[in-house]
Amino acid sequence: MQASYRQFCPVAMAAEILGTRWTIVLIRELVAGSTRFNDLRRGLPRMSPALLSRRLKELEIAGIVEKTAAAADRSSHEYRLTEAGRDLKAVIESIGIWGQRWVRTDLALDNLDPNLLMWDMRRNLKPSPLPSVRNVVEFHYTDLPSSQEYWWLIVEPDGEVDICSVDPGFEVELYVRTTLRTMTSIWMGFSTVATERKTECLVLEGDPGLAKNMQTWLGLSHFASEKKRI
C-alpha cells in the first residue's frame, strides 16, 4: 500500500485505498462482473499476476472484496465485492463518464489492446438480435502482427459468448476486416459502423443481416452514449 496522506479527510482516506496503480481498473472489472482470477487477468491483460494477487489481497484487507470458494469447484476461488465494494459502482461509473467526456479521443485511441477490446466486446455483446443458432464472427485486424491479427467471437444458441485467438474451426457467418484503431473507435462510441463502412475502413462480408445489424448486436462500451465535451 502507498504511504499515508495523514489526513482525516474522507477523500484522502479513500485515496489511500483506491489510489494505488491498477486498483481502480481492477474494481472496474469486479463491478463489471468478473469473479475468477483468470477472467480478471483477461480484463487486465497488462497487469502481472503477482500484482493482481497483491491488489486483491489489499482489497480484501480493506473490506472491499471477499474471497470465497467457487460453487462449481470448491478447489478454486472467486472474488466478489462486499457491500462496501458494491457501493463503489457509482464511483467507477462517474470516473468513466468523466473520462469519456473530457479525455481527448486521440489520447484514448493511443492505448490500443486487442485482448482488452475483444474481452469487452464479448462481455457487452447483445445476443438477442442474432439468429438463434451458433453465430461466428471473424475479426481480421490488418494493422496487427500475425500472432494477433485474427480473432473470433462465437455466440451460441443459448446466448453464451466466447472469444478465440485461435481458429475454432466453425463455419464463419460474418468476416470483419478493419484496423484495431477503427474497431476501438466504434466500440468506444467515437465512430459508427455505418461511418466506417462508407470510408471502407471497415469491410463486412458474409451474412447481410449480421452486417446490417452490427451496430446493434455489437454491444458498445458502457460509456459510449456519453458525448465528448472537448
Side-chain angles (χ1 to χ4, degrees):
M1 300 289 282
Q2 65 184 11
S4 172
Y5 291 111
R6 297 184 180 278
Q7 291 190 352
F8 60 80
C9 168
V11 173
M13 291 188 291
E16 289 183 10
I17 298 171
L18 305 177
T20 52
R21 182 170 171 79
W22 288 106
T23 298
I24 286 291
V25 286
L26 170 54
I27 294 172
R28 176 204 69 193
E29 283 301 303
L30 290 161
V31 167
S34 295
T35 60
R36 300 291 188 95
F37 189 86
N38 285 339
D39 286 346
L40 290 168
R41 285 198 64 196
R42 296 181 81 172
L44 303 162
R46 298 185 182 183
M47 186 180 189
S48 73
L51 182 56
L52 174 56
S53 294
R54 185 156 72 248
R55 290 290 182 262
L56 285 168
K57 185 63 177 178
E58 290 168 356
L59 291 175
E60 277 189 81
I61 293 171
I64 293 172
V65 167
E66 58 182 355
K67 180 180 178 181
T68 61
D73 180 4
R74 307 297 291 182
S75 63
S76 62
H77 295 90
E78 293 182 339
Y79 297 88
R80 297 188 180 277
L81 293 169
T82 62
E83 181 181 0
R86 293 190 296 274
D87 211 25
L88 286 167
K89 180 180 179 181
V91 176
I92 298 299
E93 290 180 346
S94 293
I95 291 173
I97 289 170
W98 184 91
Q100 184 80 352
R101 289 175 177 173
W102 296 106
V103 176
R104 296 201 322 263
T105 300
D106 60 320
L107 292 179
L109 294 179
D110 280 344
N111 299 307
L112 302 178
D113 187 323
N115 294 280
L116 179 57
L117 176 63
M118 296 305 298
W119 181 247
D120 280 341
M121 285 168 57
R122 168 207 168 272
R123 179 160 51 198
N124 287 15
L125 189 141
K126 299 176 181 177
S128 55
L130 300 174
S132 56
V133 295
R134 176 185 289 146
N135 292 275
V136 180
V137 182
E138 178 185 286
F139 290 81
H140 179 195
Y141 295 120
T142 57
D143 55 333
L144 295 185
S146 58
S147 61
Q148 294 183 305
E149 63 180 328
Y150 285 99
W151 295 80
W152 290 263
L153 273 175
I154 305 166
V155 188
E156 298 292 352
D158 63 359
E160 184 72 22
V161 184
D162 200 4
I163 57 171
C164 291
S165 57
V166 177
D167 190 344
F170 299 133
E171 182 178 349
V172 175
E173 279 68 44
L174 184 66
Y175 295 88
V176 179
R177 188 169 71 254
T178 186
T179 64
L180 182 60
R181 186 182 182 89
T182 297
M183 196 68 245
T184 303
S185 180
I186 292 170
W187 192 81
M188 290 294 296
F190 303 151
S191 185
T192 66
V193 170
T195 298
E196 300 300 344
R197 291 188 76 181
K198 285 181 181 179
T199 60
E200 297 187 349
C201 290
L202 176 73
V203 178
L204 306 179
E205 297 178 349
D207 188 303
L210 291 184
K212 180 181 179 181
N213 296 318
M214 185 176 180
Q215 186 75 35
T216 302
W217 58 255
L218 187 60
L220 305 183
S221 162
H222 180 70
F223 305 105
S225 60
E226 291 294 327
K227 302 302 181 184
K228 283 293 182 187
R229 304 290 179 89
I230 57 173

